[in-house]
């Protein structure tokens, strides 16, 4: 059967969900072990040396075989899958939805104020910002994933349903910092991500962003959670204790694996999503 094309050159909602969801699954399989290493280094309070590195990273499996060590870097995979796949579907599928709404209702205003080219890029950036604000609702799953990676004892044999039933709103509110700061962070991050991507594609001569090639998409993309559930500690207290007990450089623990993974992870997921969404749109 010949593939069906979405009307008006726009990808269907199903294509956006499938493409972004597939990118989230692939990203999870490839980068979850590195993320676990970074989280464990960040949460470690003792001095790191060559002799202590293996116990810090692999915990109870420091003396196990290479294969068992590798598998030990996948704790919290279920929570991670729930968060990462949902986040990628929301981010890469939701941003085009916001972009369509803004373009349909306010494109003339953006064009009049900023010109056609800059207006189109700013619409992309604004749609990214609106998407970013909503990401905060997914953070409880990310918090549970991090907890499972660095402090599995806190679960005490409880599943996610039981945790939510027993802890109630504690889990929802326990996400490191207040909702306002998280919203601000996501607002800025997604604004820069989609705005810079649009600007880069313009520089590469791409006027229809959905038709960018794989290479063009690739170029364009270029501690409180460690505590127990019952310990409610404000973010300001964590910062003060961290500075007093471990010094300023404690904020940079796990920086090397984080740097090694953040750029490639974003490039990987963004490129895959932006390539798969148009592909799926040929069929759904």
């Amino acid at each position: 059967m010949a593939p069906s094309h979405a009307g008006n050159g726009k990808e269907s909602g199903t294509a956006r969900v499938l493409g972004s969801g597939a990118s989230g699954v692939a990203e999870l399989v490839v980068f979850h072990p590195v993320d676990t290493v970074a989280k464990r280094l960040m949460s470690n309070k003792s001095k790191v040396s060559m002799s202590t590195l293996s116990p810090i990273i692999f915990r109870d499996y420091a003396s196990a075989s290479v294969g068992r060590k590798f598998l030990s870097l996948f704790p919290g995979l279920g929570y991670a899958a729930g968060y990462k796949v949902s986040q990628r579907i929301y981010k890469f599928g939701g941003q085009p939805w916001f972009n369509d709404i803004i373009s349909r209702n306010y494109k003339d205003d953006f064009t009049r104020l900023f010109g056609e080219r800059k207006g189109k890029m700013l619409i992309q950036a604004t749609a990214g910002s609106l998407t970013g604000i909503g990401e905060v609702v997914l953070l409880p799953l990310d918090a549970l994933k991090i907890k499972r990676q660095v402090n599995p004892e806190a679960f005490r044999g409880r599943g996610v349903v039981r945790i939510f039933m027993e802890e109630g709103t504690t889990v929802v509110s326990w996400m490191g910092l207040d909702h306002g700061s998280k919203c601000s962070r996501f607002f800025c991050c997604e604004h820069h991500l989609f705005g810079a991507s649009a600007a880069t594609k313009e520089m590469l001569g791409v006027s229809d962003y959905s038709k960018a090639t794989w290479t063009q998409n690739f170029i364009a993309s270029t501690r409180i959670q460690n505590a127990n559930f019952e310990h409610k500690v404000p973010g300001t207290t964590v910062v003060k204790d961290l500075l007093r007990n471990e010094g300023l450089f404690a904020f940079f623990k796990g920086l090397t694996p984080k740097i090694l993974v953040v750029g490639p992870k974003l490039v990987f997921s963004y490129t895959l999503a932006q390539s798969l969404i148009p592909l799926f749109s040929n069929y759904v």
Side-chain angles (χ1 to χ4, degrees):
M1 181 180 292
S4 60
H5 296 270
N8 301 322
K10 300 293 184 181
E11 300 91 353
S12 68
T14 304
R16 290 170 179 173
V17 169
L18 291 175
S20 54
S23 76
V25 172
E27 177 189 337
L28 193 66
V29 172
V30 174
F31 291 101
H32 189 74
V34 185
D35 182 59
T36 298
V37 172
K39 293 295 190 300
R40 288 179 176 177
L41 287 173
M42 290 176 188
S43 66
N44 173 61
K45 296 182 180 180
S46 60
K47 187 175 181 179
V48 179
S49 64
M50 291 303 297
S51 60
T52 62
L53 190 60
S54 184
I56 290 172
I57 294 176
F58 299 108
R59 303 289 176 86
D60 296 336
Y61 299 94
S63 301
S65 63
V66 175
R68 194 66 191 86
K69 283 182 177 179
F70 178 72
L71 291 177
S72 72
L73 298 178
F74 285 89
L77 190 61
Y79 301 115
Y83 171 69
K84 186 57 64 178
V85 175
S86 299
Q87 188 215 31
R88 290 319 189 200
I89 289 176
Y90 175 74
K91 176 185 286 188
F92 297 133
Q95 191 272 346
W97 182 74
F98 280 111
N99 183 75
D100 290 345
I101 293 176
I102 297 172
S103 296
R104 185 166 57 248
N105 296 287
Y106 303 104
K107 182 178 179 180
D108 292 340
D109 297 325
F110 275 85
T111 301
R112 183 176 63 258
L113 290 171
F114 307 105
E116 184 174 356
R117 184 184 177 191
K118 289 183 179 179
K120 185 165 62 172
M121 290 187 290
L122 284 172
I123 288 175
Q124 288 281 337
T126 303
S129 296
L130 293 175
T131 308
I133 293 173
E135 282 190 52
V136 71
V137 301
L138 300 174
L139 285 177
L141 285 174
D142 186 43
L144 289 171
K145 183 263 295 184
I146 295 173
K147 173 78 74 178
R148 190 67 180 83
Q149 286 175 304
V150 301
N151 190 12
E153 295 81 12
F155 283 76
R156 296 191 290 266
R158 298 179 295 175
V160 62
V161 175
R162 184 177 174 185
I163 288 173
F164 273 99
M165 289 178 63
E166 292 180 355
E167 306 296 341
T169 58
T170 301
V171 178
V172 178
S173 62
W174 167 78
M175 295 183 294
L177 292 172
D178 61 275
H179 288 68
S181 60
K182 289 290 187 181
C183 284
S184 300
R185 171 194 166 195
F186 287 129
F187 181 92
C188 296
C189 288
E190 306 311 340
H191 179 277
H192 295 326
L193 169 62
F194 290 101
S197 172
T200 305
K201 289 177 181 178
E202 286 285 345
M203 293 172 61
L204 293 172
V206 180
S207 57
D208 187 345
Y209 303 149
S210 66
K211 295 182 179 178
T213 65
W214 187 92
T215 303
Q216 289 166 335
N217 279 319
F218 182 88
I219 295 173
S221 61
T222 302
R223 177 87 74 98
I224 191 169
Q225 293 168 318
N226 196 36
N228 288 325
F229 288 108
E230 58 269 20
H231 294 164
K232 300 177 182 180
V233 184
T236 53
T237 301
V238 174
V239 171
K240 287 189 292 186
D241 290 345
L242 198 63
L243 287 172
R244 182 175 62 250
N245 299 326
E246 302 178 56
L248 182 63
F249 287 102
F251 288 105
F252 298 93
K253 284 184 175 181
L255 183 63
T256 299
K258 193 70 174 178
I259 289 175
L260 290 175
V261 75
V262 167
K265 181 166 66 172
L266 184 58
V267 170
F268 178 86
S269 61
Y270 181 87
T271 303
L272 198 58
Q274 298 304 309
S275 300
L276 288 177
I277 290 174
L279 177 64
F280 282 120
S281 70
N282 291 326
Y283 300 92
V284 292

